[in-house]
Amino acid sequence: MILGLVLFIDMDYFFAACEELRHPELKSKAFVVGTSTIAKKERGVVQTCNYEARKFGIHSAMPTAQALWLKPDFVYLESDDEYYSLVSERVMALLKGYGFATEIVSIDEAALDLGEIGYGAAEELAKRVKKEIKDRIGLPCTIGISTGKNYAKIICDDSKPNGIGILKEGDIVPYLKGKSVEKMLGVGRKTAERLALMHIEKIGDIASADPNMLVEKLGSFGRELYLLAKGIDNSRVVESSSVLSVGRERTLERESKGMQDIEKTLMELSKEVAKELERQGLWFKGVSVKARYSDFTERIKNRKLNNYTDSLDTLYSTAMQLMKELAEEKHVRKVGVRTYILEKRTGQRKIF
Ligand code: TTP
Ligand code: MG
């Protein structure tokens, strides 16, 4: 039997690679892309950094203060989410151009359903994809190939940076055995903690656990995890919508003095966005807000949700939380609400 294969791609040090693209002079220097403004950089966290900075032990999600302690003279760059989203859209459009069902998993990850193409042809395709992304967009990436989205992601992670990894069906179970449960797509810290209470820390522990207990504790996700640990990946590549984002912007009647001046407009924009999504039969997994300040500078904040949703409440409350961070520093003149990672609504709840 020939198994269907999935190609999983994850861009290397993505935000930092985007910065090197427009500032080639930074390549030889250790630099960090962070969430805060330069003036308050030590209060924020590292979103990502280039490999020069990784040599000093700096990594994503580390407080910038700690990174400064490791390498006091790194170059600090404020995150420019709008630019990274544009680069991401170019990468995704190129990937979709190969004609396979393509799922946009995050801003820098995608999965392609290659069908029964065979390992040889899949590897050739991976080489071509890597070369075209390098030649046309100028960025490095890593690709994993296996019989399911989860396995392809795991072998992709393990082949970083700038690699191609292939995990064949016969090798999956022994390969996963010693790995942490958090390597599985959809297993975050909370699920990992619940599994730890059952003395399950490695994927091999899931494979030898009682499947009924896993279902009892984790519902249908428990069953899915059990099958995954046994080498059966039923997750499908869900084709992402060709509409990449839906958003609305508006200038405030007067410059904001605080959140109370923004709330009403954010609610109106959220309603309009939700209505447009409904009209197009879409639901979303990402929310982004934009603030334009009185001095005409702009900032954007994004958040990826755990599940697809079409809830106006979720859209509005997420937009409010993100906007609070942006409205803290300066007076806001114009606001925007945008949804991204869109998909055709199916009526089913998604785990991934
Ligand atoms: P990742 O793919 O996890 O990281 P990366 O692309 O920087 O590095 P790698 O080569 O290991 O893939 O995340 C993609 C982008 O998402 C990353 O460039 C910055 C952003 N990000 C955050 O903003 N916060 C985080 O905690 C993480 C992990 C990523
Ligand atoms: Mg990446």
Side-chain angles (χ1 to χ4, degrees):
M1 185 179 71
I2 304 177
L3 289 169
L5 295 180
V6 173
L7 181 152
F8 193 98
I9 174 166
D10 184 334
M11 303 303 291
D12 293 338
Y13 64 107
F14 184 55
F15 291 4
C18 291
E19 293 295 353
E20 286 184 359
L21 201 58
R22 60 179 175 182
H23 301 296
E25 70 282 4
L26 284 174
K27 273 187 185 163
S28 55
K29 298 185 181 134
F31 74 89
V32 159
V33 178
T35 47
S36 301
T37 55
I38 290 184
K40 294 182 180 168
K41 67 178 174 190
E42 63 287 342
R43 292 206 207 157
V45 295
V46 174
Q47 288 190 290
T48 195
C49 56
N50 65 348
Y51 282 96
E52 279 303 312
R54 292 185 192 197
K55 283 183 196 162
F56 296 90
I58 302 174
H59 57 76
S60 294
M62 174 184 274
T64 317
Q66 192 182 343
L68 279 165
W69 187 76
L70 290 168
K71 170 92 178 126
D73 62 344
F74 65 67
V75 177
Y76 182 86
L77 299 172
E78 275 176 36
S79 174
D80 180 353
D81 290 358
E82 190 164 25
Y83 166 58
Y84 312 140
S85 301
L86 279 174
V87 179
S88 169
E89 284 180 15
R90 289 183 59 207
V91 172
M92 299 304 166
L94 193 152
L95 291 174
K96 283 178 177 216
Y98 290 100
F100 298 98
T102 301
E103 176 176 341
I104 299 172
V105 178
S106 75
I107 192 164
D108 85 329
E109 297 167 299
L112 273 62
D113 184 350
L114 304 185
E116 295 170 1
I117 182 178
Y119 289 107
E123 186 174 2
E124 285 313 306
L125 178 71
K127 286 183 188 158
R128 202 174 127 204
V129 169
K130 268 178 72 66
K131 184 169 176 339
E132 289 191 348
I133 294 185
K134 186 77 200 161
D135 291 350
R136 294 205 204 158
I137 303 176
L139 294 178
C141 67
T142 298
I143 291 179
I145 291 162
S146 188
T147 58
K149 210 159 63 176
N150 284 274
Y151 307 142
K153 179 180 163 58
I154 290 173
I155 193 67
C156 174
D157 280 352
D158 290 351
S159 308
K160 275 191 169 288
N162 201 18
I164 295 177
I166 299 180
L167 185 56
K168 296 191 178 174
E169 65 264 29
D171 301 329
I172 293 170
V173 174
Y175 188 79
L176 296 183
K177 208 172 163 221
K179 293 199 178 288
S180 154
V181 292
E182 287 188 58
K183 280 273 179 181
M184 296 280 204
L185 262 174
V187 177
R189 222 185 41 224
K190 280 197 183 136
T191 310
E193 280 168 10
R194 292 176 73 183
L195 287 167
L197 290 175
M198 300 178 238
H199 305 290
I200 294 174
E201 276 163 12
K202 301 279 191 292
I203 297 177
D205 302 334
I206 301 179
S208 49
D210 172 5
N212 294 317
M213 182 200 55
L214 289 169
V215 173
E216 195 181 300
K217 302 275 188 206
L218 300 171
S220 61
F221 188 44
R223 182 183 137 78
E224 203 157 336
L225 277 182
Y226 180 74
L227 291 175
L228 278 173
K230 291 280 198 191
I232 301 164
D233 188 343
N234 287 329
S235 62
R236 299 220 335 272
V237 170
V238 184
E239 183 141 33
S240 299
S241 156
S242 54
V243 181
L244 292 170
S245 70
V246 170
R248 293 283 182 275
E249 309 192 345
R250 186 153 307 145
T251 304
L252 300 173
E253 281 165 19
R254 56 194 162 95
E255 198 173 86
S256 73
K257 297 277 189 291
M259 277 307 284
Q260 69 280 4
D261 297 332
I262 301 177
E263 277 167 24
K264 194 170 127 258
T265 309
L266 271 190
M267 180 44 115
E268 285 166 11
L269 293 172
S270 301
K271 277 187 182 158
E272 288 172 27
V273 169
K275 209 165 159 196
E276 179 59 22
L277 289 169
E278 193 184 346
R279 199 183 68 74
Q280 298 199 37
L282 299 170
W283 54 4
F284 60 95
K285 204 177 170 182
V287 176
S288 135
V289 298
K290 175 158 101 176
R292 180 183 290 171
Y293 300 107
S294 314
D295 60 5
F296 290 101
T297 59
E298 288 187 347
R299 287 202 68 198
I300 291 185
K301 272 209 166 283
N302 292 329
R303 179 164 305 156
K304 198 178 146 195
L305 309 173
N306 291 326
N307 293 299
Y308 281 96
T309 178
D310 54 4
S311 150
L312 172 63
D313 279 354
T314 307
L315 175 57
Y316 176 64
S317 61
T318 311
M320 281 289 283
Q321 283 168 23
L322 294 171
M323 187 56 75
K324 262 185 199 138
E325 298 172 34
L326 295 186
E328 240 174 34
E329 290 166 27
K330 291 189 254 180
H331 294 163
V332 177
R333 196 76 192 87
K334 186 176 180 183
V335 292
V337 174
R338 185 165 291 279
T339 50
Y340 62 100
I341 321 182
L342 306 178
E343 195 188 280
K344 281 275 173 215
R345 234 204 101 100
T346 59
Q348 281 170 298
R349 199 186 141 263
K350 298 271 165 24
I351 289 171
F352 300 116

